[in-house]
Amino acid sequence: MLNPFFLQGSKTEQGLIQDLINEQLRMYGVEIYYLPRKYITENTVIKELIESEFNNAYPIEAYVNTYEGYADNPTILSKFGIQALNEITLTLSRERFKTYISPLINQQPNIKLSTRPKEGDLIYFPLGDRLFEIKYGKNALKRKIRDRE
């Protein structure tokens, strides 16, 4: 039986839950730096990215879900070349990203998407002094990222 003193799904309760999530990320998460990709030169025919730069780094808290392959140097040589297998899965607060990082990168030119982290952006992970590239994700803010070495 549900508690009759709580309205299920009211705006204030949703705000409370979001505040609790943000607090948990600040307590149990790690500080990472988000580096958005700035598109400098792009091929107009096949939309291939020729030149890009990363000028700004924004600190934000993230929770490390998994760190599969995050060891000294797990690289393998396959028939397609050298593959780095270092990857971690991070969880960011959607609300923190929208209120903190989106307004900062929204005004900058040559940034295509400012409402969420996107594939090709970089994450600097200071605990291991490593730079990761966002490759793909299950949803907008839960991204699997691979080491850029």
Side-chain angles (χ1 to χ4, degrees), residues 34-145:
Y34 173 72
L35 290 86
R37 178 184 297 260
K38 199 179 261 192
Y39 295 87
I40 303 300
T41 309
E42 192 174 7
N43 190 342
T44 57
V45 177
I46 58 173
K47 301 292 184 190
E48 180 184 21
L49 182 64
I50 297 173
E51 185 180 359
S52 63
E53 60 184 23
F54 302 91
N55 292 335
N56 301 319
Y58 305 102
I60 191 166
E61 60 276 352
Y63 182 76
V64 179
N65 288 348
T66 63
Y67 46 89
E68 300 164 1
Y70 191 79
D72 289 335
N73 196 10
T75 56
I76 61 170
L77 182 62
S78 68
K79 63 182 179 180
F80 301 110
I82 298 174
Q83 294 179 330
L85 300 177
N86 291 341
E87 66 181 42
I88 59 175
T89 305
L90 299 174
T91 300
L92 302 175
S93 169
R94 184 182 309 258
E95 185 261 341
R96 280 278 294 150
F97 192 89
K98 282 186 179 180
T99 59
Y100 174 60
I101 294 180
S102 289
L104 295 174
I105 64 176
N106 195 17
Q107 305 300 324
Q108 295 181 8
N110 300 329
I111 293 181
K112 293 194 174 189
L113 182 65
S114 64
T115 57
R116 64 172 177 85
K118 63 189 174 304
E119 288 80 5
D121 291 347
L122 298 180
I123 300 287
Y124 175 67
F125 197 68
L127 287 178
D129 194 28
R130 296 195 179 196
L131 194 64
F132 291 91
E133 179 180 2
I134 299 174
K135 288 293 189 182
Y136 56 93
K138 295 179 183 172
N139 58 31
L141 292 181
K142 188 175 180 183
R143 298 281 175 190
K144 208 169 250 198
I145 45 188

